Amino acid sequence: MAEVSVIIPALNEAGTLPKTLEALRAADAGLQVIVVDGGSTDGTADLTRSFPDVRVLASRTNLPSMRR
């Protein structure tokens, strides 16, 4: 079981999130990584799911222009 959890809030981060996730994976510190996607429209959640060791949670956005 991981002793440290890293929680990453994300909204339309498909362009930058992979680099962050790769860096955390390279640290190999037994981290639990959780990405909370706030309703991205750029494929952030799908891209994050390509990292099998990362948990993806969905959340509604608080941005008025992006509410569903």
Side-chain angles (χ1 to χ4, degrees), residues 19-38:
K19 185 174 180 180
T20 300
L21 296 176
E22 288 292 346
L24 289 170
R25 180 185 283 170
D28 195 30
L31 301 174
Q32 175 186 33
V33 180
I34 302 167
V35 174
V36 182
D37 181 64

Side-chain angles (χ1 to χ4, degrees), residues 1-66:
M1 178 179 247
E3 292 186 27
V4 176
S5 296
V6 176
I7 301 170
I8 303 171
L11 182 62
N12 294 327
E13 297 294 336
T16 58
L17 192 57
K19 185 174 180 180
T20 300
L21 296 176
E22 288 292 346
L24 289 170
R25 180 185 283 170
D28 195 30
L31 301 174
Q32 175 186 33
V33 180
I34 302 167
V35 174
V36 182
D37 181 64
S40 296
T41 58
D42 69 347
T44 295
D46 290 334
L47 182 137
T48 303
R49 286 185 189 96
S50 71
F51 290 82
D53 52 339
V54 176
R55 184 168 179 197
V56 182
L57 302 177
S59 173
R60 293 183 319 181
T61 183
N62 279 332
L63 299 175
S65 63
M66 297 202 55

